[in-house]
Amino acid sequence: HLCKIVRKAINQLLKELSEKAGIRTKDIYGISFAGNTAMHHLFLGVSTAKLVVAPYVPTILKEQVYKACDYGINIHPEGILRVLPIIGSFVGADTAACLLATEFDKLDKLTLMVDIGTNGEIVLGNSERIVACSTAAGPAFEGAKITFGMRGAAGAIDHVTWEDDRMKYTVIDNKEPIGICGSGLLDAVSVMLNQKIIKPSGYMKESPCYLTDKVYISQKDIRELQLAKSAIAAGIRLLCLKMGVEVTDIDRVLIAGAFGNYMSPSSACTIGLIPAELQDKITGIGNAAGEGAKLAIINEKEFIKAAEISEKTEFIELAFLPEFQNVFIEQMEFPEQESTAQEE
């Protein structure tokens, strides 16, 4: 049932894109697919049973080439479907596409790439060695489980600052604020930490904290964010441990996905999502997975290269590392902040 829903949605998107481009869907001769592991399996009609029990092994890892019509995709009857490879467990084909787009295997400098979402994929390395992991960050960065959380749509508070002794904010499309998206949540908590409204433990002196007459952040919201940020932060620290490097050895930080374009590096480092030492090294690279998927369908050599990079990448299952629990708990607290705010 889910498989049919996914394919129906893809066909609907193809129809809309074709109409915008002024072509027929039957004029499309190739399609590439670069989804996370769960979506990859659902789209292909492959059992997801192994993904919900340890050691979370995907049914299909390798890159695949099929006839699109055999998978219910309404393009040319002879059109091909290229499915990018999965790196391991929940580091899916979307991450493989990101690595392809950034030419990660050719990088000289030690680079950290993070795709922040419900499932956070983290990659560390360069041309010599690449290691990757995934973390169950939870949906806080995408607005879910946050009292007034929402996706980055019209009416969402997307940035928060402290001016004239109060919080000021901007709203997407300058609409009446109805909620707060991930980038706004990071900013708001960063401001609250700097102003000592929140303690490093995450305890709020007063809960809730109102941003507008209706939109507020509660103690529960802070706890949700702590769980999410500590998962990502622990993943970064543990990959450094596996690589035998220090955080300070990292030369570049690439934040993939739409969230990376809107996230404030300063706020991300203030709350401890990204180590503070890396603040000036952060760059948002947007929809790198989409760019990699384009390369894979336009050029067969690029598709083969994606498979080669995936083979080269060492997948690490964090949950099986004896250090994971301790590092995760260590990263739960927010970093201590220097502030001119009045202490109680």
Side-chain angles (χ1 to χ4, degrees):
H1 179 63
L2 288 172
C3 176
K4 288 177 181 177
I5 291 172
V6 174
R7 293 179 185 178
K8 182 180 178 182
I10 289 173
N11 280 322
Q12 182 59 37
L13 290 169
L14 276 171
K15 183 171 178 287
E16 292 171 12
L17 287 171
S18 298
E19 288 172 357
K20 286 182 181 177
I23 63 169
R24 302 177 305 164
T25 53
K26 299 298 181 188
D27 294 330
I28 299 170
Y29 287 83
I31 180 171
S32 59
F33 185 87
N36 64 47
T37 308
M39 292 306 299
H40 171 283
H41 280 33
L42 291 175
F43 171 62
L44 293 178
V46 172
S47 172
T48 56
K50 292 181 180 179
L51 297 180
V52 294
V53 292
Y56 317 109
V57 179
T59 303
I60 296 175
L61 275 170
K62 297 280 187 180
E63 73 285 359
Q64 307 288 328
V65 181
Y66 306 107
K67 283 181 68 172
C69 63
D70 289 342
Y71 287 82
I73 300 302
N74 300 328
I75 62 173
H76 190 278
E78 297 299 319
I80 62 165
L81 167 65
R82 287 182 183 155
V83 182
L84 277 78
I86 289 170
I87 293 169
S89 184
F90 290 101
V91 181
D94 49 348
T95 304
C98 286
L99 295 178
L100 177 64
T102 55
E103 296 188 299
F104 213 90
D105 61 322
K106 293 182 180 178
L107 299 177
D108 293 324
K109 294 181 176 181
L110 185 62
T111 301
L112 174 71
M113 184 177 74
V114 188
D115 190 347
I116 300 171
T118 301
N119 189 54
E121 294 91 3
I122 308 169
V123 182
L124 178 65
N126 53 22
S127 57
E128 295 180 13
R129 186 185 178 194
I130 305 172
V131 294
C133 69
S134 65
T135 60
F141 297 121
E142 296 173 335
K145 289 197 174 182
I146 304 300
T147 308
F148 284 91
M150 60 183 290
R151 64 187 183 87
I157 293 173
D158 60 345
H159 286 295
V160 180
T161 56
W162 183 265
E163 296 175 42
D164 302 325
D165 292 328
R166 65 188 182 93
M167 285 193 190
K168 292 194 175 180
Y169 55 82
T170 58
V171 182
I172 296 175
D173 289 349
N174 294 315
K175 301 282 188 180
E176 183 74 20
I178 56 173
I180 187 166
C181 64
S183 59
L185 181 64
L186 258 64
D187 283 355
V189 174
S190 172
V191 167
M192 292 160 76
L193 282 165
N194 282 323
Q195 297 305 315
K196 309 289 184 176
I197 297 168
I198 303 175
K199 291 185 176 182
S201 65
Y203 174 72
M204 293 179 72
K205 292 183 178 179
E206 291 183 20
S207 178
C209 176
Y210 281 85
L211 301 177
T212 75
D213 292 342
K214 296 178 182 177
V215 179
Y216 61 76
I217 294 172
S218 70
Q219 182 68 73
K220 172 185 164 294
D221 299 335
I222 299 298
R223 297 305 184 206
E224 288 290 343
L225 181 64
Q226 283 181 278
L227 289 169
K229 77 95 180 175
S230 61
I232 299 287
I236 293 170
R237 304 275 176 184
L238 289 167
L239 285 190
C240 285
L241 184 67
K242 281 293 172 184
M243 285 282 283
V245 301
E246 300 294 329
V247 166
T248 49
D249 294 328
I250 297 171
D251 293 297
R252 299 172 67 210
V253 181
L254 308 177
I255 307 295
F259 184 76
N261 283 343
Y262 298 101
M263 180 196 83
S264 161
S266 173
S267 296
C269 292
T270 296
I271 72 165
L273 173 65
I274 307 290
E277 304 96 314
L278 303 178
Q279 181 173 325
D280 296 332
K281 301 175 181 180
I282 297 173
T283 304
I285 57 172
N287 186 8
E291 292 303 314
K294 289 178 193 175
L295 288 170
I297 195 60
I298 290 169
N299 189 328
E300 187 178 11
K301 289 181 180 177
E302 294 291 326
F303 178 61
I304 293 167
K305 184 182 168 188
E308 291 171 350
I309 299 173
S310 297
E311 285 280 347
K312 180 181 179 179
T313 303
E314 301 169 41
F315 171 70
I316 295 165
E317 184 59 75
L318 292 184
F320 297 160
L321 297 181
E323 308 93 341
F324 175 71
Q325 200 66 31
N326 286 339
V327 176
F328 178 78
I329 292 168
E330 283 170 10
Q331 296 303 314
M332 195 80 76
E333 289 213 350
F334 295 114
E336 289 277 358
Q337 304 300 317
E338 292 182 12
S339 174
T340 56
Q342 200 74 30
E343 290 277 11
E344 284 188 5

